[in-house]
Amino acid sequence: MKHLLYVLIAGAVFLTACSKTSTTGPGGGSLGDTWCLWIGADMDTYVSCGRSAGCDEGDLNFGQHASLVVALWELAAKRTYIHFLIPNVPQGTEVLEAYLNLYHGGKNEDGHSDDVSTPFQEATEAWTPMELTWNNQPSFSPGGRHYIDLKSQAWSGSDNISDMVRGYFDDPSSHKGIVVYWSNVAIPIEKGFYSNNYTGRKADDLGLSPRLLVKIKLPSGKTINDVTLPPLSADTDLDFAGQQVLMMRYSPGSDWPEDWDAQIGP
């Protein structure tokens, strides 16, 4: 029993279920303590210094590129920024688990092993994907406590980031985005991921674009119909103006649906 939650770029939120549930509450909402959520990115981009000595790409913007890139070697320094559309949930909702998943379409594309764990951390300030550059990015100093376990030509998943996501669900405005980066100069890498602008991302299909997988437990008396999405920001880089855009999938129960291919890192 998988379901879809769409947002209209113009602002309205509506619900479309692709199958019926077996239990309903008084208002017709699906009852059940635990739900799995697949949340899409509403903004993403990467920034590049270019040649690390001269930073010749420092003012370039990559807001609608099909790829997100993380790099640090003698000719490149790149960081990826991702922001998710955080749902509104009933007060008392528990965040049980949460994982960042990025799709890595390459295989040793930089000539180095994919057997690496890529750090990420919270962005310190708000940003917009069509304006962000290396030179104007939020203040940054490496200190990530979470990692993505890189896989070749597959979804790559993080460790449990429920501590981070719990704060976002309590206060969606606190979510400034996530920065994925590399800082180990002894191991040169340049790895790419699919962005929310890759060709497989459609208005009605999240595809392999960045996702936030979250397992929640609803408070007593609340149903999945009490979980809603805010309007998409005018700053979104999703190119679906005037269309209803799929931004979240959800499924009842404590097991991740098999067809989601949920990836959980170490």
Side-chain angles (χ1 to χ4, degrees), residues 99-163:
Y99 306 94
L100 173 64
N101 274 199
L102 302 179
Y103 194 85
H104 176 220
K107 182 176 182 180
N108 305 333
E109 70 267 39
D110 55 2
H112 298 283
S113 171
D114 288 336
D115 186 19
V116 295
S117 293
T118 308
F120 63 93
Q121 61 196 56
E122 297 176 277
T124 56
E125 303 167 29
W127 48 275
T128 58
M130 301 307 296
E131 298 178 359
L132 192 68
T133 68
W134 182 275
N135 289 339
N136 69 17
Q137 66 182 309
S139 59
F140 177 86
S141 58
R145 297 182 294 109
H146 297 290
Y147 296 83
I148 296 172
D149 185 24
L150 198 67
K151 297 183 183 300
S152 302
Q153 299 174 325
W155 282 110
S156 299
S158 74
D159 55 321
N160 190 351
I161 58 171
S162 58
D163 56 339

Side-chain angles (χ1 to χ4, degrees), residues 19 44 107 131 153 204 219 230 254 256:
S19 62
D44 65 22
K107 182 176 182 180
E131 298 178 359
Q153 299 174 325
D204 60 353
S254 58
W256 300 107

Side-chain angles (χ1 to χ4, degrees), residues 75-264:
L75 296 181
K78 301 175 183 180
R79 299 174 188 146
T80 278
Y81 283 76
I82 307 169
H83 185 280
F84 293 96
L85 192 66
I86 303 300
N88 302 307
V89 297
Q91 185 174 7
T93 297
E94 297 179 48
V95 175
L96 305 178
E97 300 176 35
Y99 306 94
L100 173 64
N101 274 199
L102 302 179
Y103 194 85
H104 176 220
K107 182 176 182 180
N108 305 333
E109 70 267 39
D110 55 2
H112 298 283
S113 171
D114 288 336
D115 186 19
V116 295
S117 293
T118 308
F120 63 93
Q121 61 196 56
E122 297 176 277
T124 56
E125 303 167 29
W127 48 275
T128 58
M130 301 307 296
E131 298 178 359
L132 192 68
T133 68
W134 182 275
N135 289 339
N136 69 17
Q137 66 182 309
S139 59
F140 177 86
S141 58
R145 297 182 294 109
H146 297 290
Y147 296 83
I148 296 172
D149 185 24
L150 198 67
K151 297 183 183 300
S152 302
Q153 299 174 325
W155 282 110
S156 299
S158 74
D159 55 321
N160 190 351
I161 58 171
S162 58
D163 56 339
M164 184 186 296
V165 174
R166 193 171 293 118
Y168 302 157
F169 275 43
D170 288 343
D171 178 12
S173 67
S174 69
H175 177 49
K176 308 301 183 187
I178 290 170
V179 189
V180 189
Y181 64 96
W182 190 252
S183 60
N184 188 348
V185 295
I187 304 177
I189 71 166
E190 181 158 354
K191 307 295 184 183
F193 306 95
Y194 288 7
S195 80
N196 64 2
N197 294 123
Y198 94 103
T199 56
R201 175 52 161 116
K202 308 298 183 184
D204 60 353
D205 186 358
L206 289 161
L208 301 175
S209 59
R211 66 186 184 184
L212 189 62
L213 299 181
V214 186
K215 193 175 294 183
I216 62 171
K217 182 177 182 181
L218 293 171
S220 177
K222 296 298 182 180
T223 75
I224 194 62
N225 285 352
D226 295 304
V227 177
T228 62
L229 285 173
L232 279 167
S233 165
D235 293 326
T236 183
D237 54 312
L238 289 169
D239 193 19
F240 303 119
Q243 300 181 59
Q244 295 161 333
V245 183
L246 177 64
M247 292 304 300
M248 189 171 81
R249 298 176 65 183
Y250 57 94
S251 178
S254 58
D255 294 328
W256 300 107
E258 185 175 351
D259 63 345
W260 286 17
D261 191 21
Q263 293 299 309
I264 298 171

